[in-house]
Amino acid sequence: MHSTPDLCDQYPHLVRVVEPIFSNYGGRERFWGPIVTVKCFEDNSKVKKLLGTPGLGRVLVVDAGGSMRRACLGDMLAEQGVANGWSGILMYGCIRDVDDIMALDIGVQALGVHPMKTDKKDIGEIDVAVTFAGVTFNPGDYCYADNNGIIVSSQPLEG
């Protein structure tokens, strides 16, 4: 993958730039792929469900409502994502177990960290358009993330 600045330079009319509010916590600093979305709030049941399925190099985009009160991803779910071939996770919310997640071969960007896990009530939506950080993420769009930022395109930017 080219860097996100290079992709912005090469495809300025095709990219949407996500506001710079995320930090990189994964062992894979660059990640990209088709987007699968989850909308949930302080309940990571749907995140767990999806990370338990074949990732096929996709990026899981989680609209956790920006919650700074619970972590929607921990080391066990991130390990599941690695084992199932997910490229990365973009979490509009918090994660936990960051020292362990940094050692895993998966990209993870999130708003922050919090030690408290979520409730499990199986509440949430999968494959719906979600909007946060100035961008709407549609299922099937493409996400590109690195230490320079995160961009989204409705089509792949490189082969």
Side-chain angles (χ1 to χ4, degrees), residues 1-3 24 28-32 87 107 145-148:
M1 175 187 114
H2 292 294
S3 71
N24 208 341
R28 185 183 293 178
E29 291 188 345
R30 291 178 169 201
F31 60 94
W32 65 94
S87 175
D146 61 20
N147 286 325
N148 296 294

Side-chain angles (χ1 to χ4, degrees), residues 34-53:
I35 291 172
V36 176
T37 62
V38 175
K39 186 175 180 75
C40 57
F41 185 74
E42 298 182 359
D43 179 343
N44 70 350
S45 304
K46 303 296 186 188
V47 174
K48 180 178 182 179
K49 177 181 178 179
L50 281 170
L51 290 175
T53 66

Side-chain angles (χ1 to χ4, degrees), residues 27-157:
R28 185 183 293 178
E29 291 188 345
R30 291 178 169 201
F31 60 94
W32 65 94
I35 291 172
V36 176
T37 62
V38 175
K39 186 175 180 75
C40 57
F41 185 74
E42 298 182 359
D43 179 343
N44 70 350
S45 304
K46 303 296 186 188
V47 174
K48 180 178 182 179
K49 177 181 178 179
L50 281 170
L51 290 175
T53 66
L56 309 170
R58 295 176 294 174
V59 174
L60 183 60
V61 174
V62 182
D63 180 354
S67 174
M68 301 303 276
R69 303 184 313 178
R70 300 286 178 124
C72 276
L73 179 76
D75 59 342
M76 291 189 293
L77 290 186
E79 286 171 3
Q80 214 175 14
V82 171
N84 287 317
W86 289 85
S87 175
I89 301 161
L90 177 60
M91 177 67 65
Y92 184 56
C94 290
I95 66 168
R96 66 187 204 162
D97 304 314
V98 294
D99 295 329
D100 295 322
I101 289 173
M102 283 192 272
L104 298 175
D105 185 24
I106 191 167
V108 178
Q109 291 210 19
L111 294 180
V113 297
H114 197 286
M116 185 65 71
K117 67 181 180 178
T118 67
D119 293 328
K120 306 281 190 293
K121 298 177 183 173
D122 200 30
I123 297 171
E125 299 174 85
I126 295 173
D127 279 335
V128 295
V130 296
T131 302
F132 55 83
V135 169
T136 297
F137 300 81
N138 297 297
D141 282 354
Y142 291 80
C143 179
Y144 299 84
D146 61 20
N147 286 325
N148 296 294
I150 303 163
I151 60 175
V152 178
S153 174
S154 59
Q155 62 189 62
L157 300 179

